[in-house]
Structures are given as structure tokens and as C-alpha cells.
């Protein structure tokens, strides 16, 4: 514990130096530059960002029990950069992944490794999990040698995976039955924001755990929302991704229509970028979509999973979502043609004549 506090203290000092230097050194990465610091404060020396709903984090002197060991389960496209940001921030991180080799770069950076979720949870104060889907999230948390087997009172489990509310509640029940705390914390933002520590956390569950892990969320993200009861974070995430999936499907139709109408789709991307429907997603993905290239940031199979779960949510509250339902069909077509592991922008292929035959 004391080593951890010292590490963070020295990081605080170096943050001060960084803050001074950054006014003069434009090459200092934004990741370091953006973190506000307390220069004259008796509070714990943690970098605390000014973020949505983040006023009650580690900078509260009454919260003196700091987690010393952080576990991270699921080292995929998102888990890898997120865990890396924790290691780079000086946290004592222990990792596990079903495919062990994906942990190797993190181990090289100084992370520890344990051979099961149970062992990670048993050796850590707080364990994060970033898994594919409801099935894998439940399996890793509640299955044989799952995290719940290693949890006990005083520990915390933070599930960042995108799942439905019912799955999150099930995991919460298993974790809380051990006496530990639970927080769901799915993220908005993809591979690049994960690398840059710019994710948006949509959390719900135990508020005390939210307060405890706040500084760690801030190492990985730019803002965080606390939304109350378990299920609300999952629902918020599914609504956001349902909108995103429909936007991408509609954008795909527009690109192909512009081409068929004899227009240059690159000009369409430029026109969109200057108007009221501008979105970073269109400018980022449009140019490669025009070249039929889909380098994976957000796998199409996960987008289709999110559309499916969002439609389930809509049905459960009797809300009509015909646009999302139509978009979901396109993702299903794309999946059935082997595009699951491509970026979700590959949904455009489902609108090209050759896939529809
Ligand atoms: N990529 C993105 O842009 C974003 C993704 N998300 C969400 O985050 C989660 C992770 O996404 P991402 O990192 O992209 O996905 P990846 O497919 O890259 O990683 C999935 C992770 O889950 C593990 N996993 C899958 N099935 C099992 C299982 N049965 N048992 C144990 N582990 C399993 C994988 O292990 P292994 O390596 O062994 O396959 C891997 O660590 C998903 O819920 C996704 O919807 C949220 C925001 C953005
Ligand atoms: O779940 C994935 C979200 C991707 C994004 O927000 O860009």
C-alpha cells in the first residue's frame, strides 16, 4: 500500500513538472497534459480530472482505504490499452486472458499474471473485467474458477463489458453474495480513445465502489457518469450503441447511393463534416469505407450483439424501434458473410449487391 501511495506521490510531483513543461513543450502527449492536479492541497496526491459526476473521488480525505492491487480480466482490443494505461499510471496490475499470449506485452510493461480469474480476484483489491458478451462475462465472473470464487468482503468487481441489464444483475448477485461490491461500467469510445485514456464510463451499482475506483477510471477515461442502480449503465450503453449502429447503417446507404448517383462519396463525407449531422465517426470511417477497407476498432460481431441486446431492451419496455431493427438485419447479413471480426463499418458490404444474392 505504502509503495502504491509513494508511486502516486512521485507521479504527482512529476505531474507538476509536466504541467509546467507542457506550456512550453507541445510534444508532451495529451494523455499527461490533460490531467489537472492539486498544487496546494492536503488531499491525497492523486491526479483527479474535472469530470462529469466525479466530484467525490479520491480527493476526499475521509476515503483513506486505497486499493493497492488492480486486477484486469479480458485483454482484447479494449482491455489491452485500458490495462496498459493503468500500468503506465503506476498501478500494481495483475492480468488474465483466456488466450494467455495477449497478456505478454503487459507483462513486459510490468504487469503480473495469474492463471485464472479466481486467482486474480483473490490477489487484488479491485478487479476490472472487459469481455466480449453476456456469456463470456457471466462465465468469467461466475463460472468455475471465475472471479466470484476469489472475491470476499472489502473487494470490488467492476464489469466494463457491454452486456444487457439482466446479465449485469446476475453477475452483481454472484459478486455481492461473497460480501464484495459490484459496479457495472461499460464504456463509450473505441480503440483509439482507449489508447488515449479518453473513454466515457457509464457506471451503476455500489456508489462506494464508484468513489473508490474513480481515480482508476480517470486513468482510462475522460469522463464518468454514475447512473444509480445496476442495469442503468448497461441500458445507457445499449441505447448509445443502438443509435451508433443505425447511424452507421444509414451512412453506408448514403455512401453507396451517392456513388450510384454519379457523385464522389469523398465529397459527401466532406459535405457531412461541415453540417449539422457531422459526427467524428463519419470522418474517421468514411475514407476507408470508400476503399472497402475495414481495419478493426469495434468488431462487427459486437455491434450486432449490441443491436440485438438493445432490441431486447426496447421490447422489454414496449418501445418501438423499427430503424434499429432494420439496421440489425444488415449486421446479421454482414456476419453471415464472414465479416464478424472486421470493423462494424463493414456493414456497408451488406448493402452491396454481391452480398444480397
Ligand atoms: N472495440 C470497441 O471499440 C469497443 C468494445 N466494447 C465492448 O467491450 C467488450 C470487449 O470488446 P473488445 O475488446 O473490442 O473485444 P475483443 O473481441 O477484442 O476481446 C474480447 C475479450 O473477451 C475474451 N473472451 C471472449 N469469450 C470468452 C470466453 N468464453 N471466456 C473468457 N474470455 C472470453 C477474449 O479472450 P481471447 O483473447 O481469449 O479471445 C478477449 O479478451 C465487448 O463487450 C464490446 O462490445 C465497448 C466499447 C468499445
Ligand atoms: O461499443 C463500442 C463503441 C464504439 C464507440 O463508441 O466508438
Amino acid at each position: 500500500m505504502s509503495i502504491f501511495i509513494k508511486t502516486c506521490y512521485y507521479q504527482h510531483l512529476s505531474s507538476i513538472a509536466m504541467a509546467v513543461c507542457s506550456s512550453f513543450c507541445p510534444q508532451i502527449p495529451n494523455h499527461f497534459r490533460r490531467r489537472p492536479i492539486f498544487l496546494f492541497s492536503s488531499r491525497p496526491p492523486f491526479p483527479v480530472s474535472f469530470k462529469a459526476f466525479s466530484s467525490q473521488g479520491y480527493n476526499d480525505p475521509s476515503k483513506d482505504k486505497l486499493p493497492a492491487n488492480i486486477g484486469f480480466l479480458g485483454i482484447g482490443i479494449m482491455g489491452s490499452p485500458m490495462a496498459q494505461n493503468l500500468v503506465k499510471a503506476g498501478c500494481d496490475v495483475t492480468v488474465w486472458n483466456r488466450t494467455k499470449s495477449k497478456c505478454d506485452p503487459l507483462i513486459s510493461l510490468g504487469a503480473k499474471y495469474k492463471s485464472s480469474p479466481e486467482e486474480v480476484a483473490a490477489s487484488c483489491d479491485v478487479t476490472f473485467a472487459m469481455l466480449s458478451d453476456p456469456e463470456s462475462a457471466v462465465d468469467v465472473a461466475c463460472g468455475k474458477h471465475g472471479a466470484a470464487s476469489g472475491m470476499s468482503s472489502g473487494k470490488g468487481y467492476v464489469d466494463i463489458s457491454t452486456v444487457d441489464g439482466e446479465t449485469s444483475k446476475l453477475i452483481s448477485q454472484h459478486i455481492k453474495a461473497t460480501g464484495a461490491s459490484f459496479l457495472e461500467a461499460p464504456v463509450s469510445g473505441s480503440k483509439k480513445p482507449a489508447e488515449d485514456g479518453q473513454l466515457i464510463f457509464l457506471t451503476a451499482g455500489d456508489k462506494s465502489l464508484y468513489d473508490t475506483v474513480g481515480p482508476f477510471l480517470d486513468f482510462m477515461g475522460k469522463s464518468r457518469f454514475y447512473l444509480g442502480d445496476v442495469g442503468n449503465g448497461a441500458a445507457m450503453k445499449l441505447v448509445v450503441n443502438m443509435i451508433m449502429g443505425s447511424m452507421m447503417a444509414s451512412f453506408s446507404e448514403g455512401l453507396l447511393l451517392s456513388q450510384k448517383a454519379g457523385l464522389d462519396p469523398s465529397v459527401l463525407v466532406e459535405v457531412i463534416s461541415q453540417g449539422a449531422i457531422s459526427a467524428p465517426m463519419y470522418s474517421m470511417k468514411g475514407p476507408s469505407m470508400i476503399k472497402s477497407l475495414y481495419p478493426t476498432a469495434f468488431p462487427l460481431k459486437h455491434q450486432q450483439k449490441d443491436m440485438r441486446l438493445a432490441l431486447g431492451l426496447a421490447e422489454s419496455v414496449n418501445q418501438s424501434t423499427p430503424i434499429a431493427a432494420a439496421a440489425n438485419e444488415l449486421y446479421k447479413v454482414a456476419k453471415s458473410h464472414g465479416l464478424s471480426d472486421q470493423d462494424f463499418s463493414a456493414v456497408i458490404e451488406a448493402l452491396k449487391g454481391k452480398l444480397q444474392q
Side-chain angles (χ1 to χ4, degrees), residues 28-333:
I28 287 177
N30 282 339
H31 181 64
F32 293 102
R33 183 201 296 275
R34 72 183 167 77
R35 302 197 183 280
I37 49 177
F38 291 101
L39 293 179
F40 306 106
S41 166
S42 58
R43 292 166 170 174
F46 289 90
V48 178
S49 301
F50 301 119
K51 296 180 175 184
F53 297 86
S54 67
S55 60
Q56 295 181 0
Y58 263 172
N59 53 335
D60 180 344
S62 66
K63 292 188 169 46
D64 54 358
K65 175 133 183 17
L66 310 174
N69 312 103
I70 307 299
F72 210 107
L73 311 173
I75 307 299
I77 292 171
M78 295 296 284
S80 176
M82 292 174 82
Q84 242 185 67
N85 280 334
L86 291 174
V87 173
K88 286 178 181 167
C91 303
D92 184 339
V93 181
T94 303
V95 296
W96 171 86
N97 193 57
R98 179 179 62 176
T99 308
K100 197 228 162 193
S101 59
K102 291 191 191 170
C103 295
D104 293 344
L106 280 156
I107 295 168
S108 305
L109 282 176
K112 296 171 189 155
Y113 172 80
K114 294 275 183 195
S115 57
S116 71
E118 177 180 2
E119 287 176 62
V120 172
S123 67
C124 293
D125 299 317
V126 171
T127 299
F128 291 92
M130 186 49 151
L131 300 150
S132 288
D133 50 22
E135 294 72 26
S136 55
V138 169
D139 203 33
V140 168
C142 318
K144 198 172 175 212
H145 301 301
S149 312
M151 302 296 301
S152 56
S153 175
K155 292 179 184 281
Y157 191 75
V158 184
D159 200 334
I160 326 169
S161 324
T162 303
V163 298
D164 55 298
E166 291 312 308
T167 297
S168 200
K169 285 174 193 161
L170 179 72
I171 295 172
S172 174
Q173 279 162 14
H174 276 81
I175 297 295
K176 288 177 77 78
T178 70
S181 307
F182 177 81
L183 190 73
E184 65 183 12
V187 289
S188 193
S190 195
K191 188 178 171 198
K192 181 78 167 60
E195 288 165 356
D196 295 345
Q198 292 285 305
L199 294 169
I200 301 161
F201 285 92
L202 308 170
T203 77
D206 285 317
K207 179 67 164 56
S208 58
L209 182 57
Y210 171 76
D211 290 337
T212 301
V213 301
F216 300 100
L217 301 185
D218 292 344
F219 287 136
M220 300 183 279
K222 67 176 178 184
S223 65
R224 45 186 160 101
F225 293 82
Y226 178 75
L227 301 166
D229 293 339
V230 172
N232 290 347
M236 182 67 84
K237 171 64 185 167
L238 292 179
V239 173
V240 171
N241 271 28
M242 182 192 83
I243 296 170
M244 187 178 77
S246 300
M247 281 171 68
M248 178 55 83
S250 180
F251 182 54
S252 299
E253 286 182 343
L255 284 176
L256 294 175
L257 176 59
S258 70
Q259 227 162 2
K260 284 258 172 84
L263 300 170
D264 180 346
S266 308
V267 178
L268 172 69
V269 174
E270 176 64 21
V271 170
I272 289 174
S273 77
Q274 294 190 25
I277 64 162
S278 162
M281 179 175 87
Y282 298 140
S283 300
M284 279 186 313
K285 309 266 184 192
S288 49
M289 290 170 74
I290 291 166
K291 294 184 208 142
S292 302
L293 295 174
Y294 316 105
T296 310
F298 181 38
L300 187 139
K301 63 185 175 195
H302 293 336
Q303 175 66 80
Q304 196 277 319
K305 173 252 309 177
D306 294 350
M307 297 304 279
R308 174 171 58 81
L309 297 178
L311 292 174
L313 173 65
E315 192 166 334
S316 74
V317 295
N318 201 22
Q319 174 59 52
S320 172
T321 48
I323 293 172
N328 182 42
E329 292 306 313
L330 287 180
Y331 289 100
K332 282 162 65 180
V333 170

